[in-house]
Amino acid sequence: MTPEQALDAETAAGIEAGAEAPAARDARDQPLVDTPSGGRNQSLPVVSPEEPPKGARIHWRTARRLLGLLRPSRWRMAGVIAATCAFVALNVAAPKLLGDATDVVVAGAVGGNFNQAELAALLALVSVLYLGASVFSWIQGSLTAVAVQGLGYGLRASVERKLHVLPSSHFDEQHRGDVLSRATNDVDNVAQALNQLLNQLIMSLLMLTGALAMMLWLSPVLAVIALVSVPVSTLITVPVARRSQAHFTEQWAGTGDLHARLEESVTGHEVLKAFGRQEEAAAAFREGNDKLFRASARAQYVSGVVQPLMVFVSNLNYIAVAVVGALQVLAGALTIGGLQAFVQFSRLFSQPMGQIGGMLTLVQSCLVSAGRVFELLDSPEIEAEDAPQPAGKPTDPAAAAAAAAAALAPQGGSGRVVFDHVSFGYSPGSPVVQDLSFTGEPGQTVAIVGSTGAGKTTVVNLLMRFYDPDSGRITVDGADTTEMSRDELRARIGTVLQDAWLFTGSVRDNIAYGRPDAGDDEIAAAARASHVDQFVRALPGGYTTMLGNDGDSLSRGQRQLISIARAHLAGRNILVLDEATSSVDSRTEAQIRHAMRELRQGRTSFVIAHRLSTVRDADLILVMDHGRIVEQGTHQQLMAKGGLYLKMYEAQFARREHRNDVREPGE
Amino acid sequence: MLIGLMGRLLAARKGTVLAIVLLQLVQTTANLLLPTLNAAIIDDGVVRGQVPAILQLGSWMAAVALVQVAAAIAAGYLGAVAAMELGRQLRGELFAKVQSMSSQEVGAFGAASLVTRATNDVTQIQNLTVLVFTMLVAAPAIFVGGILLAIHQDIVLSGIVVAVVPALAVIMALIVRKLVPLYRQGQDLIDRVGRVLREQIIGANVIRGFVRQGHEIRRFDAVNKDLTQNNLRSALLVAGMMPLIMLVVNLSSVGVVWFGGHRIQSGQMRLGALTAFIAYILQILIAIMMAMYVFMTAPRAAASAERIQAVLDTVPAITDGTGGVAPEGHDVEFTDVSFAYPGAEAPVLDGVSFTAVSGTVTAVIGATGSGKTTLLNLLPRFLAATGGTISIGGVDVRTLPLDALRRLTAVVPQHSYLFTGTVAANLRMGAPAATDEDLWRVLRSAQAEDFVRRLPLGLEAPVSQGGTNFSGGQRQRLCIARALLREAPVYLFDDSFSALDYGTDRRLREALAPLLRTATVLVVAERVATIVDAGLILVLEGGRVVAQGTHRQLMESSPSYREIAASQLVLEETR
């Protein structure tokens, strides 16, 4: 048993009424991972997804894998490197030639033999070099942009495809935000950082080499002076970067903490007001806010010190070069043009050094994000199966769509469902359903009732193959479900699940979700049968009204009704209603029940409900208790039997003295 | 919007801002002086062969560099603190505003969006502030300083700078004008990608159930492509802009050598000016790039500023009353009360009148969407009635201070929300001084004693955010216990028994009855069985009270009530 179930076990004395608790539901959706011991003290979520991967080794592996993603663009990257080399060569040669041009000017000023033609020729050459440098820089930047954006696109696509093959447990309330954050913020961060890194890092490294080579060629003495700045810069940058890293971590942790505090007081703001606790909430918020302020201010100014210090080192270097260079010119070891060129080179040398220092933080944050994305991509999938699923690798979306369309094609068969001695547990040793056997004949309605934790929703999960049985088999029209692909199986089943899910789009599109080719008249017919029509007509845009934000412009009950219309229209030969009307008031529910009679004709329907009035019409009622079917039969048979069903019934309808006041609705 | 918001925040820190500007000016001037001194080394030292002059000017340069680094670090420190203070202030203002908002106002923004605005969007403003302090102050100073010094070196040669600057300005203006809308569109596309992913995560089982993965993949692919294309377009623009600016600047240094060379030959210019000039042009280039960077970050921050300002501009509809009259007794009276959302065609509640007498239970029943919860929320003024009056003990609730009003009511909300902490901390929310015995007493009444006792840590058992480590039924009972501990004269139960099985529901009601003997109790319910004993039952339909009375009276007189009862007690008929 999962901890939540254990906690809830005492509720099982009666019948769980009302919406099934999300926590309990999530617990049942949990596969093997989260429940090693099933201990009671594990009532808090064990996962801490915010923990960034630690250690240099993990970073190296992440970095290698990230670069591996550039493989499809390897020719483009080769082009980037070639263009960068050409750019650096030209950009390094140009100042040297400009220095030569200055020497021509100096020769004219000092010696009186001003060679205008030579100056013109040199300057023309320099212009061509600069033009070439710009062209190569443009090629380099464009190729990088294409490669990096392609990588971002691929990464997002892989993450999205991964979502379709992750087990349902990944989407419970605790993980949802984290998965979402990885798929958007982290992917985005990787793409942005990588764009900057690939552009600047390659450029800076090559620029450093080129400038150094030219300086050595121009004046070895000055080059040595310039080189001194390398260890000096390193000595300054590394400790500062290390300290600021700690502050940055603190800042991110502080942001997460404040996020949690905010989330809590905004979500629970009504309760806070009701109990007059705004002051306390404000104080808690202030504390978090102050902590975040201190951490981020510290991170900001510690890391902000690096840049001025690097400028300072670069300036000292500049001064040394200017002074020593001037002395060298006097000694005749260097020309004035040479000195001017050298000054330019020393700038070209110290600038990328500063940039590389600044990029350290960027590299860190990029790798942390990439690590989080890879972690998501590597998480275990639902078991692979015979039919190819769109797995982690990007496949052609058109092909995937075609496969889905094929799966959606009408299936033969009548929808006879047989559970044959089925047992299953989410974790080994604690079976949730045991030795379950029953048959749903076409045209029949099979109802499943029982207390929380009795295994009702698990039956649906097994039928839909969200999970597979540990033993026994489930057949649909005589075929073992584990031998069909999941999609093929699900294409026979229309479902209305407890959490009525609507996506951004029109009411019409939401109803037609299971059958996109349906005509307007069919949609309207399904809507009428599900009591959706009346309230949709009252909406400002009727069936074209856009629903946004999980459809929160509608009440929970209305959302459930749209889900029913969706299943209605999908016209599958097996129908599953899992607490489909739990949030609809009982009168509307009674009306829907009448409308559904027609829908159930010729189909096998499964109904899970806590309200016994919902299941009263069923042809077969299965009463479940602790994973077993303890009673089965029609309502009359079960009432006559005087067992658990009767007890549940009496608990729900204990006020017998009113029985004579009650009439059947509409009959 | 961005300028207004930042202007207001920066105006409050005039001293710091002034200090930062001064320090940045010092820093920039020092940086610009270095090439000038370098020119002097060439002219006074190298050309004249004066070693002492070279060394003296060299030490001057070192002194200037020291001033520069000191000023830059000081400016950086002040800027960091000021920017983060500004972030803290914005977050604080947003939090205070959200606390003063009604549920309706919070709902209009959405809880998730409010949290994002107070974190992510504030960070955007904060980042821009850092950039403004470090770059936007320095960039124009370098730019103007560079031009001035160039003119000082040689007026005629400065003509090149004068020609180059407009060229750069045109290139920049053209590209930024294309970039800004692209960036803005990019933000929207990121939102859209997030929205699709969010839906796919929440609706995973429905997508799988209807085998629509292919459709979802195509849907995502469309937005993914749009986003990639948008990103690529802006990245290509930036990739094209930088080489263009570099080319213009580099070619101008070629021009400097050509024209400068001729002016030196004719003796109109000194040799050192040539080197200095090239350095100035580089400085101007850096200034332009810095400004570019700020301009490119600004559109994102501007979007954030709009989102923040929208929250700050919200005027809370519900404010403290000023009347000093204390209520006598605690009968609750609704007189012709109506409520409508702004712009909605139909009101949620329309002309609701009833009296809930203290010492009795008043129940509200009706279909999904009939306005039951709204009715309950009007009393503690979580929502403000748009018509009619509501009074407690003869005093209009609008005249009471909100705190006083809410001390009169104990609420068990429909959505059982618990806070991170312990069971005890959650229970003590409304009564911080309650002893452990008090807690056990209310837990017993709320039928929650058994499961709390079974928790390894009992009262000190941890509660995760929202109470998700408890089942729905357990959460409801803890919320009931929390309300009972308050011992307020008016109790509001909003569908508070829905997640309980029928047996627990009955036991709970039996336990509550003596506790609430003197209180005014309002109950919203779905089950007829829950409310048959109520002193007064209101039947709501489409926001109107269509019938009121006791269960027996309504069974006689109200067809609507009979239908509701029938739909639930229908099994009674079968024999």
Side-chain angles (χ1 to χ4, degrees), chain A residues 7-8 10-11 15-18 21 23 43-44 87 105 108-109 114 116 123 126 130-131 134 137-138 141 149 153 156 160-161 163-164 166 168 171 173-174 176 179-180 183 258-259 262-265 267 269-271 273-275 277-278 282 285 289-290 292-293 296-297 300-301 312 315 318-319 322-323 326 329-330 340 401 464 487 490-491 497 501 503-504 513-514 516 550 555 583 585-587 616 635 649 651-653 658-659 661-664, chain B residues 31 34-35 38 41 46 49 54 58 61-62 65 69 77 80 84-85 88 91 95 99 101 103 106 115 118 130 197-201 203-205 207-212 216-218 220-221 224 227-228 231-232 236 239-240 243 246-247 250 254 258 261-262 264-265 271 278 367-368 382 406 417 419-420 429-430 454-455 462 464-465 468-472 474 482 486 498-502 526-527 541 551 555 563 566-568 570-574:
Chain A
L7 280 174
D8 211 48
E10 56 89 36
T11 335
I15 303 126
E16 176 78 355
S43 40
L44 277 181
F87 164 78
V105 173
F114 180 46
Q116 199 172 331
L123 290 181
V126 171
Y130 273 139
L131 183 66
S134 279
S137 152
W138 174 68
Q149 294 307 329
Y153 171 82
R156 276 192 294 270
E160 191 256 354
R161 283 182 173 81
L163 295 184
H164 298 298
L166 280 175
S168 315
F171 304 129
E173 281 177 31
Q174 269 109 46
R176 206 177 266 174
V179 171
L180 192 61
L258 196 72
H259 199 286
L262 260 169
E263 174 106 32
E264 195 157 48
S265 43
T267 318
H269 82 115
E270 230 166 56
V271 181
K273 276 182 199 162
F275 288 92
R277 299 283 282 185
Q278 284 118 307
F285 177 82
N289 199 5
D290 285 346
L292 175 58
F293 159 71
S296 54
Q300 187 63 44
Y301 65 67
F312 183 58
N315 277 340
Y318 173 47
I319 296 163
V323 172
V329 172
L330 281 185
Q340 179 213 305
M464 300 286 288
D487 287 354
R490 289 170 192 168
L497 300 178
W501 175 78
F503 64 89
T504 314
Y513 190 75
D550 315 321
S555 78
S583 293
D585 67 282
S586 52
R587 208 160 22 144
R616 184 204 163 223
H635 172 72
Y649 166 82
Q652 280 197 19
F653 304 106
H658 301 293
R659 64 188 312 180
D661 302 336
V662 176
R663 307 273 175 284
E664 277 270 346
Chain B
N31 241 348
L34 289 178
N38 188 17
I41 286 183
V46 179
I54 294 176
M61 282 177 85
V69 71
Y77 176 81
M84 300 305 144
E85 253 177 23
R88 177 174 63 175
R91 285 191 297 268
F95 184 80
Q99 281 214 321
M101 289 196 320
S103 352
V106 169
V115 174
V130 173
L197 285 173
R198 191 156 179 261
E199 286 183 2
Q200 293 185 350
I201 288 172
N205 276 352
I207 294 169
R208 288 171 197 192
F210 283 96
V211 200
R212 296 281 279 161
E216 291 298 327
I217 288 173
R218 257 176 301 142
F220 181 78
D221 195 58
N224 193 6
L227 176 65
T228 308
N231 284 353
L232 189 59
L236 285 178
M246 257 168 43
L247 184 64
N250 282 334
V254 171
W258 173 252
H262 282 87
I264 289 170
Q265 297 312 315
L271 202 51
I278 292 173
T368 313
F382 292 149
R406 287 168 187 165
Y417 196 86
F419 291 82
T420 317
M429 274 194 71
R454 246 177 281 152
L455 296 171
S464 62
Q465 190 186 336
T468 46
N469 55 333
F470 289 92
S471 81
Q474 293 172 336
R482 178 170 71 187
R486 254 197 129 193
S498 65
L500 307 181
D501 61 76
Y502 284 77
E526 167 58 34
R527 296 180 198 156
E541 221 169 67
H551 174 74
M555 285 307 275
E563 258 182 64
S567 68
Q568 293 177 15
V570 69
L571 290 169
E572 303 278 339
E573 279 292 280
T574 52

Side-chain angles (χ1 to χ4, degrees), chain A residues 147-225:
Chain A
V148 168
Q149 294 307 329
L151 184 146
Y153 171 82
L155 211 52
R156 276 192 294 270
S158 318
V159 166
E160 191 256 354
R161 283 182 173 81
K162 181 79 187 180
L163 295 184
H164 298 298
V165 292
L166 280 175
S168 315
S169 58
H170 249 86
F171 304 129
D172 59 32
E173 281 177 31
Q174 269 109 46
H175 290 83
R176 206 177 266 174
D178 187 56
V179 171
L180 192 61
S181 173
R182 284 174 204 240
T184 52
N185 296 339
D186 285 313
V187 170
D188 210 47
N189 189 22
V190 169
Q192 267 183 14
L194 216 54
N195 192 26
Q196 210 177 335
L197 285 175
L198 285 181
N199 260 324
Q200 289 191 356
L201 205 62
I202 298 176
M203 176 83 79
S204 300
L205 286 174
L206 286 172
M207 209 63 204
L208 215 61
T209 333
L212 186 64
M214 288 309 277
M215 288 196 294
L216 280 169
W217 183 44
L218 271 170
S219 164
V221 180
L222 288 183
V224 169
I225 293 175

